[in-house]
Each structure stands twice: as structure tokens, then as C-alpha cells.
Amino acid sequence: MLPDQMLFAMEVTLNGLMAGVMYALVALGFVLIFKASGIFNYAQGVLALFAALTLVGIQQGQVPFAHLINAVFGTDLHHFGWTLPAVLALALTALVMIGLAWLIERLVLKHLVNQPAIILFMATIGLAYFLEGLGDVMWGADIKTLDVGLPQGISEAVETATASLFGYGFFIDRLDMVATVVAAILVLSLTLFSQYSRQGRALRAVADDHQAALSVGISLRFIWVLVWSIAGIVALVAGVMWGTKSGVQFSLSLIALKALPVLMLGGFTSIPGAIVGGLIIGMGEKLFEFFAGPLIGGATENWFAYVLALLFLVVRPQGLFGERIIERV
Amino acid sequence: MNAEPGPMTPETPTDGARRIGPVLMEMKNITLRFGGVVAIKDISFDIREGEIRAIIGPNGAGKSSMLNVISGFYHPQQGEVWFRGQRRAPMRPYQVARQGIARTFQNIALFDGMSVLDNIMTGRLTMMRAGLLEQALWWGRAAREEDAHREKVEKIIDFLEIQAIRKTPVGRLPYGLKKRVELARALAAEPKILLLDEPMAGMNVEEKEDMCRFILDVNDEFGTTIALIEHDMGVVMDLSDRVVVMDYGRKIGDGTPDEVRSNPEVIAAYLGVSHD
């Protein structure tokens, strides 16, 4: 291979890895809830959308339910007329997500204790549609731009550095670089939290056996609110990254679809698995497109991840890092 | 048949009178129904501080239901539970656990994915006080707490002779050891009452003897009050200070092992009697 082409392949790989991190951010939310409660949370993608909508709304001082209020009372409200600093808006949105977790426990999960997993899964489908509608009614259905001051565009520093090193400038998106750092911090803190903190230990205990957890004095309801709060905040992070990249609109909730193959690869119960799965999918689909795309007519990125996941399901159904299914007879 | 004390019961008779204290828990006229089925019918008994109290009876007598009432998993339709001189309001199981009532399960409920050590540490979760920030920075109370709890847990591990498996994931252990880990986790909570649901079920003779020894030692060394369920009469008689006998949800006997053994109703329930 020509050195030029090799450098190009390297660039593609790097970009793929970073795209993978973005997938992993979404997959993380799924893993958290699945680990703690065995629920596959269909609403995780919509949670990210809802978080992003709320963030934009709060930051730009939009009046929630403006259309509804105006229609009923004949008013003409749209904005409070403020623009909040990004940090404050993020903190407030995080609070909203925690409140939402509390409401979900109160109104949905509490009534479904001891129900089979499929019932809870169906409940999250309902939750997804409800939140989708709620987001629309609260903040309007128009496409919004999200800007919390994250750097965007091609990093010139990387380009000039690689240009002087290899004589070939790499195009790396600065937002992807930020996402990588954020994901690393997120994974590290979540892992430390679940391995070493008291609440994390309680969380793992609940994930393992509800009865036993109760018998050592763990309140299931507290743990559920906790885990949905964390998942909500992870959704917020994913929503910020994806929203900054491609705008806040309904299609943001579809990023959940890309998280599925990531989960199948990494395993539904492993936090590091979500990251590694994301990296493999991201890198795999970019490299496949680069090498095989021209031969078979391109657009392989649309299906590559799913085919790879399918193969994995056949060979190793629990994923790379999933818990081995130990069965004693 | 229990004439000789044997290695399992060191100095029980003389020691016994001294260590048993006042009433710690009292069940008053408990009735529990599941739909039309009456699982427990108007049963009253008490548990004294420091004693080993057994609840025995044939299968389906309502023993486990009684244990579940004590530990808050079931709520009786009638009757009162008194604990430490106070009537207990209906409670959820985790609240009961926080009051100092630890339990094991008939079918073993451990955290299979965690190591033995982590499993036992969960027994101390409710005693930990450090906030999340302190824990995150590993600062102040958090570090001290973890060390102190770890020390207690190591003591229990030594006591139950499971040092060798402390890092093993519980899912890989054989049945008898799992039972022992479950006992260790309950002990780690330093309970005021320890509830054991058929601690010897499904064990071979050797494992049973080990378990007996541990139960007696726990009672002896820590002065822990123990309430246990068994349907195997032989083991229980050697072990306990007082025995409640249940049959079809009713109490048919209550007293020392000797009293219970000579109670005609108990004999009938266990051996059957000709009705003529």
C-alpha cells in the first residue's frame, strides 16, 4: 500500500474510533439500567432527546408548554427573555432529569415490582412515546441548535501537527475529541462509583438479587431512582454531544438504534463493554466503508454495524464483556 | 439419643441459664391468609434475648411464612409483632433489616456475580454513613469507615472458616459453602436477631455438623439471638433452647426440647396417629 493511502487509513481509523465513542455514550445509559434492574430501557434514546430539548429550552429561556398556554388563554408567550450560561443550564437540566427519574419510579416502576422483564420493557416503550410527545408539547417540534460552547469544526492544531510529522494533515473533529475525553471521564467515574462506593455496591446487589438486597436493608426504590437519575444524566451528556453535532430534533432519539449493535458486541451488563463495543463498531464501519465500500457500491455504514452484531449474537450471545452465563446443575 | 453433649454442644446446660435474657420479640395472635388459604392461624410466641429459638413442623406447616412475617416480607392480616418492647408498625423488609433483624433464605439468596468478600460487605451497607462526596475523594469518614467494616468482615470470615474463598465469585461455590457465606453476610450486620430459614436443608451429614457448630458458636461468642426453622427434628433438639412446633398453620407445642418431645400432639404430627 502507498504511504499516502496508509495515512489515510489511519485517519479513517481515528475518526472511526471517535465516532464509536459517540455511540458508546448512548449505549452507556442502556447498560446502567439493564445492569441494575434487568430492564431493557427502550426510552433511553428519547431520554437523550428530551434532555437536549430541555437544555436548549432552559438555556434560551423558552416558556415550556408555550403553544398549549397560548392556545388556551389566548396569550402570546414565547420566551422569558433570558439566556442562561451553559453551566447553569446544564445543572438545571440535570436536576430536571433527576426529577424525571423520581417521577418514573413513582408513576411507573413502583407499580410493576416483581413483574416479568417483558412487562417492564413494554412499559419503557410506553414511556418513550410519552416522553417524545411531552418534549414536543413542552418545547415545540422545530429543529433547534444546541450550543453550550463546545468546540466544533476541524482541529487545526492536529492538522498542522500531523502535516509537519507525516506530510499529511489529519482531519479530526474537535467535538469528537471532546466527546472522547468526556466519555473517558464518565466511564472512569461510573466504574469507580459502582465498584467502590456504598451506593454502587448496593446498586450491584440489587442488580443481582432483589430479595437478598432487601434482606440486607437496601431500599429498592431508592436504588431505582438513583439508577434512572444516572441514566438520565448520561442521556443528557449523549444529548449534548449529538445535539451539538447534528441539531436537536426528533431524529436525535434514533441514535438509540446505533447503540443496539454496540450493546450486542460489548454485552448488556458491562460499562467498559459499552465503550469497547462502541469503538469496534465505529472503527469497523469506517474501515469497512474505506476498504470494501468502493467494491460493493458504498453506503455500507448503514448496515455494517447490524451485520456485525448479528454475527456476534451467533458466536457469543452474551457479548465480549457480558457476564458468563454460569449454570450449576 | 442426645445423652452425650458431644463436640457440638460445649457446656450448654450450665451456660444456658445465664445467657438467656428478657423477651426481645413477641408475636401476638398472628394470622396470615393468602386468599382463602390460612397459612398461619392465631399463633403467639416470644423470643428471648440470647436464646436459640427453633420453629419446627412438617412441610407446609407455615414455618417459612412465620419467618417472612418477622422479616417483613409478609404482612399478617391479624396480630401484632412486638420488638424490644414496642409494637412494630407494618414495615418493608429493608426497614426490618435496618432495625437489626438479619436473615438467610431457604433457597439461598446471594449476589452471585460478586465475590464472597463483597457479598459479606453488603451486610454492612446500612451501617455506612459517609456521603458520596467523601467517598469520591476517599477522605474523612469514608476511608476510616471502609477499613473498620473490612476488619469486622474479616473477623467473620475467619470465624466461619471461609478465608480460602474470600475472593471467589459466589456463583462458583458449592451449596454448603454458599449457605455459610449467606450466614456470614447476615452476621456482618451484627443483628439483634438472626433468622435462619432451614440452615441445614440439603446438606450432607458433615456439612450439617459444621453448620450446627457455627450456629452454636455464633450464639455463644456474639450472644446473638437466633430464630431458626427446620423440619428435621433431630438437629433442632440438640441445638435450641426452646422450640415452637407448628402444624397446618397452628401452634401445637411450645417449650424446651424435652417438653416438646413428650407432647402427644407433636408426636402425632410427626409420626402420625391412628384415629380410633
Side-chain angles (χ1 to χ4, degrees):
Chain A
M1 192 167 20
L2 293 168
D4 254 12
Q5 239 176 325
M6 213 172 79
L7 285 169
F8 188 44
M10 262 173 75
E11 186 190 2
V12 168
T13 310
L14 261 179
N15 270 314
L17 287 173
M18 287 176 162
V21 170
M22 297 285 277
Y23 299 149
L25 276 177
V26 186
L28 265 182
F30 282 98
V31 169
L32 283 169
I33 291 186
F34 192 82
K35 246 177 104 85
S37 50
I39 302 174
F40 179 80
N41 178 23
Y42 185 82
Q44 190 63 34
V46 183
L47 270 183
L49 169 67
F50 186 80
L53 279 172
T54 308
L55 178 63
V56 173
I58 289 178
Q59 194 184 9
Q60 299 178 352
Q62 264 182 276
V63 178
F65 302 108
H67 286 289
L68 209 62
I69 295 172
N70 293 344
V72 174
F73 299 105
T75 48
D76 191 31
L77 295 169
H78 290 291
H79 289 273
F80 290 121
W82 71 57
T83 309
L84 293 181
V87 180
L88 183 60
L90 278 168
L92 287 174
T93 312
L95 283 182
V96 170
M97 296 314 282
I98 292 171
L100 187 66
W102 185 79
L103 276 177
I104 290 172
E105 200 283 333
R106 263 279 133 125
L107 301 176
V108 184
L109 300 176
K110 186 183 147 190
H111 305 284
L112 297 175
V113 175
N114 285 337
Q115 297 291 336
I118 185 73
I119 304 284
L120 287 154
F121 171 62
M122 298 305 270
T124 65
I125 294 182
L127 187 67
Y129 286 112
F130 175 77
L131 280 179
E132 208 182 292
L134 183 69
D136 267 8
V137 175
M138 262 178 99
W139 306 112
D142 47 322
I143 300 173
K144 300 172 180 62
T145 48
L146 195 162
D147 184 11
V148 288
L150 293 178
Q152 276 175 283
I154 302 303
S155 163
E156 284 170 30
V158 173
E159 197 189 344
T160 42
T162 47
S164 62
L165 260 174
F166 311 116
Y168 174 89
F170 281 18
F171 277 25
I172 304 286
D173 194 335
R174 285 194 291 173
L175 182 67
D176 284 349
M177 287 161 64
V178 174
T180 308
V181 175
V182 168
I185 294 171
L186 206 59
V187 168
L188 190 70
S189 45
L190 283 174
T191 310
L192 287 175
F193 171 79
S194 91
Q195 290 299 320
Y196 297 108
S197 80
R198 165 166 55 106
Q199 289 83 355
R201 208 176 262 146
L203 203 149
R204 280 189 294 147
V206 170
D208 214 319
D209 191 317
H210 287 182
Q211 255 199 349
L214 283 171
S215 81
V216 294
I218 297 168
S219 155
L220 292 186
R221 297 186 49 192
F222 169 75
I223 291 298
W224 280 339
V225 173
L226 180 72
V227 79
W228 279 76
S229 299
I230 299 174
I233 288 167
V234 171
L236 171 62
V237 174
V240 168
M241 294 301 166
W242 282 92
T244 307
K245 201 182 177 97
S246 43
V248 181
Q249 53 181 317
F250 168 72
S251 67
L252 188 67
S253 64
L254 300 179
I255 53 173
L257 293 180
K258 262 288 155 65
L260 282 181
V262 172
L263 291 166
M264 285 168 190
L265 242 77
F268 277 83
T269 51
S270 163
I271 291 172
I275 295 296
V276 175
L279 293 179
I280 294 176
I281 295 273
M283 186 180 69
E285 68 182 15
K286 288 280 190 310
L287 281 178
F288 189 77
E289 174 71 25
F290 175 66
F291 285 116
L295 305 175
I296 53 176
T300 58
E301 280 181 59
N302 288 332
W303 53 262
F304 175 79
Y306 302 102
V307 173
L308 189 64
L310 192 63
L311 291 177
F312 250 80
L313 273 183
V314 174
V315 182
R316 205 180 149 82
Q318 75 270 34
L320 282 174
F321 293 82
E323 274 151 29
R324 278 246 321 280
I325 304 148
I326 308 170
E327 204 134 339
R328 286 190 80 97
V329 185
Chain B
M1 86 203 182
N2 68 334
E4 47 173 74
M8 301 193 316
T9 53
E11 55 191 343
T12 322
T14 48
D15 203 24
R18 181 164 44 80
R19 71 191 156 87
I20 293 177
V23 171
L24 182 61
M25 174 168 259
E26 197 172 357
M27 315 296 284
K28 289 184 180 170
N29 307 96
I30 302 284
T31 297
L32 176 74
R33 281 185 293 265
F34 298 109
V37 183
V38 183
I40 301 174
K41 200 173 174 185
D42 195 27
I43 289 190
S44 306
F45 67 92
D46 60 16
I47 301 170
R48 290 174 171 277
E49 218 169 290
E51 77 174 336
I52 299 183
R53 185 73 147 126
I55 303 171
I56 66 169
N59 284 327
K63 308 178 299 282
S64 282
S65 296
M66 183 53 92
L67 204 76
N68 282 329
V69 167
I70 300 178
S71 60
F73 280 85
Y74 294 160
H75 295 105
Q77 278 79 10
Q78 278 144 41
E80 299 170 2
V81 181
W82 286 66
F83 182 52
R84 307 176 90 192
Q86 282 187 326
R87 187 184 168 181
R88 197 176 81 181
M91 277 185 174
R92 300 190 167 277
Y94 75 89
Q95 293 168 319
V96 174
R98 288 177 186 186
Q99 275 204 331
I101 298 178
R103 68 167 294 174
T104 64
F105 293 84
Q106 192 174 336
N107 305 317
I108 305 183
L110 283 167
F111 309 118
D112 280 347
M114 295 191 209
S115 69
V116 168
L117 186 64
D118 271 356
N119 263 278
I120 303 174
M121 281 298 273
T122 60
R124 301 193 70 81
L125 275 175
T126 55
M127 291 179 219
M128 300 189 185
R129 289 284 166 270
L132 203 53
L133 190 68
E134 283 174 290
Q135 294 179 64
L137 303 172
W138 203 245
W139 163 70
R141 261 188 307 189
R144 281 201 307 276
E145 246 186 1
E146 182 81 15
D147 287 347
H149 288 302
R150 183 68 191 271
E151 211 177 294
K152 277 266 166 34
V153 165
E154 289 295 343
K155 244 180 227 160
I156 291 165
I157 288 178
D158 285 349
F159 186 78
L160 294 178
E161 297 161 22
I162 45 180
Q163 300 93 329
I165 53 163
R166 63 146 78 70
K167 299 277 181 195
T168 316
V170 162
R172 294 219 193 105
L173 296 177
Y175 184 83
L177 279 178
K178 276 190 186 174
K179 281 259 181 197
R180 217 185 284 180
V181 174
E182 210 192 11
L183 176 63
R185 186 184 63 195
L187 274 181
E190 296 178 39
K192 301 194 176 64
I193 298 184
L194 177 61
L195 305 172
L196 305 174
D197 195 349
E198 303 222 6
M200 265 115 16
M203 288 184 163
N204 63 32
V205 177
E206 195 182 328
E207 288 171 329
K208 273 185 188 175
E209 279 176 3
D210 277 346
M211 192 47 102
C212 273
R213 180 164 56 87
F214 288 129
I215 292 173
L216 284 169
D217 284 353
V218 165
N219 179 250
D220 230 36
E221 292 224 357
F222 306 125
T224 310
T225 309
I226 297 173
L228 66 91
I229 285 179
E230 260 303 333
H231 67 256
D232 178 356
M233 244 174 126
V235 200
V236 175
M237 293 302 183
D238 295 340
L239 213 62
S240 30
D241 297 300
R242 289 191 301 155
V243 183
V244 176
V245 191
M246 289 176 71
D247 191 24
Y248 294 113
R250 294 175 311 120
K251 185 169 97 169
I252 57 171
D254 189 353
T256 63
D258 283 333
E259 284 166 12
V260 162
R261 218 191 317 260
S262 53
N263 180 333
E265 258 200 280
V266 177
I267 298 170
Y270 266 87
L271 302 175
V273 73
S274 54
H275 295 278
D276 51 19

